[in-house]
Each structure stands twice: as structure tokens, then as C-alpha cells.
Amino acid sequence: MKAEMLRTPFFLVDENKLIHNLEILKSVSTCTGCRILLAQKAFSMFSVYPLLRKYLDGTTASGLYEARLGYEEFGRETHVYSPAFREDEFTELLKYADHFVFNSPCQVKRFAGRAKAAGKGVGLRVNPQCSTQEGHAIYDPCAPGSRLGTTLEEFDESIAYMLDGLHFHTLCEQDSDDLEVTAAAFEEKFGRYLYWMKWLNFGGGHHITKPGYDIDRLMKIIRHFQEKYRLQVYLEPGEAVVLNAGYLECSVLEVVKNGMEIAILDTSAACHMPDVLEMPYRPPLQGSGLPGEKPYTFRLAGPTCLAGDVIGDYSFDEPLREGSKLIFEDMALYTMVKTNTFNGMPLPSIVYRDGEGNCHIEREFGYEDFKKRLS
Ligand SMILES: Cc1ncc(COP(=O)(O)O)c(C=O)c1O
């Protein structure tokens, strides 16, 4: 089936583009011996886990549900990190996760004994207090007052003997020069503990599959830690796994005017691509230009009641009209996992385009999906 025949809106994930990214990631793990995990928070389309499993070493989870999904659908290694684990979920989590990363010495004291007794790895997320991001404070785990990771001041040496590994995650869509700065700050603060560790996890936020990313520098940093401290380095990218590998295809429902032309779409920023509003950013749209660049400029907006449900202003060669199809790009990451049914908005279907260009509907949603989240 061709994508043009499908009812919009739908997310489409493209196998060839996915494989392109996976091969880059695999080359990093093969060349360095590091292990790469899928951060499911960015992408949990489990119907493609059998493909991902051929290239990646496992998954990382943010809690019980993602850990279970990774364990049941992906296999290989399952890691889990949470800012605070819950007592009433921990026993079940022990069934799914191989490695637990705790956020504080207190959580280590509370849970590590049980994890160890079950033969699990135990790690601590540390906060190297080194911000390398500009602009997006909500994505900066090193921002002042952050709850994410233990600072050196709060590090309690008495728990060090319980730890198999350390974890830091500080980056968001960044190149390896920022990793280098972070890794140096981390090593200066926590390096002396690494001699006792079996592994070190560099977290996510590495834009490895973005054209121009400096992979050689990444590999140099990985080798430095693995050779100096004789440990296993893990990376847990989410975004890099599916970067530019997915689309959100939608249709124009209606065009209205209010000082400018406004196209109301059958997709919503608030419900289907909330990062557009949260981050915020302007998603790439096939065949479009900046406002005024092409002859016809339109504001693209969602059909919800939220006044700010606006995707952005774009220009086109031809005017948009009811039924015009639009394809937003780079829509695999942090979209499907973040959708919601505010206003009773239907969820976009999930479609997979195989290597031959045939589209398969993996999942369609209906009224029951909206209703069953309510009471
Ligand atoms: C602990 C942790 N690991 C991995 C990731 C994945 O990051 P990204 O999708 O930017 O690679 C995140 C993202 O927030 C994270 O918080």
C-alpha cells in the first residue's frame, strides 16, 4: 500500500532511514566495544524492535512500563533509571530490568540490596554540574536546582562499594565537543570512583546520526574511559536512533482568514507533536519555505480549542485548500510517545514503510482509546 492511500493523520516510520541510523550506531559500538541502548522515552514503536535488536544492545527505561516493554518486546539488556523508584513497583521491576540506575545515595540504600540479591547491576546517576546547553533550560539536567543526579557534594562514599556503575546524562541534541567538556567535568569530580566500577553510562542527547556529528571524537572519549578505567561504556540515545526516520502526514480540513490565511489541519501540535509547543521548535515540512519565501504563506494550526495550537507559518508554491496533504518531517522522536487525546482528538495511526516502499498500518486508534483513559 502507498502512503497516499492512507487516512490521515498518521505517523510513518521508514525502514531505510531507520537502518541508515542503526548502521551508524552499530559502527560506533563495533569500533569501540561500547554498548548502545535505545532510550524508549524517545521512541517505543515496539513493532520495529526486532529490527532494532539486530543493531542495538538493549533498551533503557524510565520506569516500570517501559522496562516491561523493553524486556518483553526487545530483549537483550534492560536498564532502568528513575528519579525515584516506588516501593510498590520494585519487586515487579526486578523481573524485567538487568541494571538499575538510582538517582541518590538514599535510593541506593533503600533498593540496592534487593537488586543485588536478585543478581542485578546497580548504578548511580551523578550530576557533573556542567551545563553545555544554551536556550533550553527545561532540557538541562545540570541547571541550578536540578533534581537529576547526585552532585559531588551529596555523594556518599559509604555506598560506593554497592555500585557497579555510574551514569550521567546532561546533553540534548549535542555534538561530541559538548560531551568532551562534560566528560572532563565528570572525570574531574567522580573519576577516582571509576576504578571500582564495571560500567559507565554516558546517557543520551548525543546527535550521533546527524550529518556532521564528530564520531571520531565520540569514539576517542569512549576509548579513554574504557582503557583507563577498564570498564564498559554505555550510550543510551533516543533521538539519534530515529532521527529523520519518521513523518507525520496530515490533511488540511479548512482554510480561514484573520489578517492572514490559516489552514486548520487534522493534526494538532498540542496532541500529536507537543514538543513543537514545549521546546518550542518549527518542524520541517516537505515542499515548504519560510513565511514569504514562496508565493503563498499560511499559518498551520490544529483543530483543538487551544488558541496556541499553532505549528508555525510556512509558505508554498500553490495555495492550500481543503484536502491538501502535508508531510511534517523528523516526527518519529518524542511524538508517538507523547501523544494525548485532549479535546477528544483522535490519535494518528502508526504506519511502517518497508525497504520496498510498501506501507503497513501497524496500529489504528479509535474512540475506545480515548474513552479507556477516562472514567
Ligand atoms: C536519562 C536519559 N537517558 C537518555 C535520554 C535520551 O536522550 P535523547 O533522546 O536526547 O538521546 C534521556 C532524555 O531525556 C534521558 O533523560
Side-chain angles (χ1 to χ4, degrees):
M1 199 190 300
K2 293 289 165 203
E4 302 78 63
M5 296 162 69
L6 300 171
R7 182 176 189 267
T8 59
F10 57 88
F11 291 111
L12 183 148
V13 170
D14 184 277
E15 179 171 287
N16 290 332
K17 301 239 157 105
L18 204 50
I19 290 176
H20 167 81
N21 290 344
L22 291 166
E23 282 178 346
I24 294 173
L25 296 170
K26 182 75 188 166
S27 73
V28 173
S29 53
T30 306
C31 290
T32 61
C34 81
R35 293 192 193 154
I36 304 188
L37 310 169
L38 166 71
Q40 295 180 95
K41 67 188 73 193
F43 182 75
S44 302
M45 184 176 162
F46 56 88
S47 57
V48 298
Y49 283 7
L51 172 70
L52 270 52
R53 188 161 58 216
K54 294 187 193 153
Y55 297 85
L56 304 177
D57 296 279
T59 56
T60 186
S62 314
L64 180 62
Y65 294 167
E66 283 185 359
R68 179 171 173 181
L69 190 71
Y71 172 82
E72 291 181 349
E73 300 292 337
F74 197 112
R76 307 199 70 179
E77 291 183 35
T78 306
H79 295 229
V80 61
Y81 157 75
S82 171
F85 287 98
R86 292 175 63 110
E87 190 60 55
D88 58 2
E89 290 180 353
F90 201 75
T91 305
E92 190 182 349
L93 256 177
L94 286 171
K95 285 205 293 205
Y96 309 129
D98 306 299
H99 293 275
F100 289 79
V101 177
F102 298 103
N103 193 54
S104 66
C106 184
Q107 286 259 304
V108 172
K109 284 180 192 157
R110 184 174 308 164
F111 294 112
R114 273 177 276 170
K116 288 260 174 198
K120 310 296 181 176
V122 166
L124 177 73
R125 176 170 175 176
V126 296
N127 180 344
Q129 295 177 287
C130 172
S131 289
T132 51
Q133 306 189 27
E134 281 157 27
H136 299 306
I138 66 162
Y139 294 108
D140 183 3
C142 294
S146 168
R147 70 194 177 292
L148 303 170
T150 298
T151 59
L152 185 59
E153 199 185 340
E154 296 301 317
F155 189 83
D156 173 354
E157 287 204 351
S158 74
I159 60 142
Y161 78 97
M162 284 192 259
L163 301 178
D164 302 300
L166 292 180
H167 176 293
F168 64 84
H169 167 81
T170 70
L171 306 178
C172 178
E173 299 187 338
Q174 283 164 277
D175 207 318
S176 48
D177 51 348
D178 288 331
L179 174 63
E180 194 167 52
V181 171
T182 302
F186 161 77
E187 192 175 14
E188 192 195 322
K189 290 191 164 76
F190 298 99
R192 66 195 125 124
Y193 302 114
L194 286 178
Y195 295 102
W196 307 348
M197 303 296 160
K198 296 187 184 125
W199 49 264
L200 169 62
N201 189 324
F202 288 178
H206 318 279
H207 236 173
I208 305 171
T209 50
K210 186 177 175 192
Y213 179 94
D214 188 345
I215 291 183
D216 288 340
R217 180 160 36 196
L218 169 69
M219 298 208 286
K220 208 175 98 210
I221 303 165
I222 294 169
R223 288 195 182 103
H224 164 74
F225 282 97
Q226 291 194 151
E227 287 162 16
K228 181 166 176 189
Y229 300 102
R230 301 189 171 281
L231 46 71
Q232 174 70 60
V233 165
Y234 284 95
L235 307 179
E236 48 180 38
E239 178 154 348
V241 178
V242 288
L243 188 69
N244 293 318
Y247 306 87
L248 175 54
E249 306 208 9
C250 63
S251 304
V252 175
L253 297 176
E254 163 84 335
V255 175
V256 295
K257 277 191 189 164
N258 182 358
M260 66 185 302
E261 307 241 45
I262 304 154
I264 301 173
L265 310 180
D266 61 3
T267 190
S268 150
C271 299
H272 303 156
M273 40 184 144
D275 275 1
V276 165
L277 304 181
E278 197 177 286
M279 207 164 182
Y281 80 104
R282 177 189 150 92
L285 176 65
Q286 257 177 35
S288 74
L290 292 169
E293 197 176 314
K294 293 182 179 241
Y296 303 97
T297 294
F298 284 77
R299 172 157 298 172
L300 304 182
T304 69
C305 67
L306 177 73
D309 190 357
V310 171
I311 298 147
D313 295 349
Y314 296 78
S315 65
F316 301 89
D317 293 323
E318 302 290 333
L320 298 181
R321 49 179 63 93
E322 185 189 327
S324 300
K325 296 268 171 78
L326 299 175
I327 304 178
F328 289 101
E329 297 178 331
D330 200 17
M331 279 289 161
L333 49 100
Y334 294 103
T335 49
M336 280 174 256
V337 290
K338 283 192 154 190
T339 50
N340 65 76
T341 55
F342 174 56
N343 272 216
M345 270 296 289
L347 295 169
S349 313
I350 297 177
V351 175
Y352 187 58
R353 184 159 63 206
D354 67 24
E356 271 83 55
N358 296 315
C359 291
H360 308 264
I361 300 173
E362 301 294 334
R363 180 90 195 259
E364 284 176 300
F365 301 92
Y367 171 68
E368 287 305 322
D369 297 289
F370 162 64
K371 187 180 173 194
K372 77 180 173 208
R373 296 174 60 236
L374 304 165
S375 69

